Amino acid sequence: HAVYAGEQVPIGPGERLLLYTDGIQEAGNAHREQFSVARLTDIVQRESAWTLRTVVDNIFTAVQAHAEGASQPDDMTVVMIERKWSPSPKP
């Protein structure tokens, strides 16, 4: 039985939140090099103007290219959300 701490993180209008499993950053290639958080961060920052779907698709494309066909022992999941609106001020 695992116990996890909870935390609230506000997401402002126009901001995005990326959630991913460790299989993304730990995806390896034949040289035992991991994909890494740095590569993931680079994709997300470089493509900040793209749609969420495009960013997620490009993450998986980059991971597959990095892996060079090597099988991966872990699952790979990416979820990205974006807050589009701001609540109206109350009178």
Side-chain angles (χ1 to χ4, degrees):
H1 177 288
V3 177
Y4 298 95
E7 186 174 336
Q8 292 186 3
V9 178
I11 301 172
E15 291 183 334
R16 296 176 169 185
L17 175 66
L18 178 70
L19 306 168
Y20 58 92
T21 58
D22 62 351
I24 295 292
Q25 70 190 37
E26 294 174 357
N29 59 22
H31 307 288
R32 297 181 157 224
E33 298 167 331
Q34 292 188 343
F35 185 71
S36 79
V37 173
R39 284 187 177 108
L40 180 60
T41 301
D42 181 56
I43 292 168
V44 173
Q45 289 177 343
R46 183 179 67 234
E47 302 185 10
S48 63
W50 291 92
T51 66
L52 299 182
R53 181 62 179 187
T54 300
V55 175
V56 170
D57 286 348
N58 288 345
I59 289 170
F60 281 106
T61 298
V63 169
Q64 289 173 345
H66 171 78
E68 302 171 329
S71 67
Q72 302 301 310
D74 205 352
D75 67 296
M76 291 187 218
T77 304
V78 175
V79 176
M80 192 169 194
I81 61 172
E82 178 177 27
R83 181 174 172 190
K84 291 279 193 182
W85 58 272
S86 179
S88 301
K90 295 186 179 191

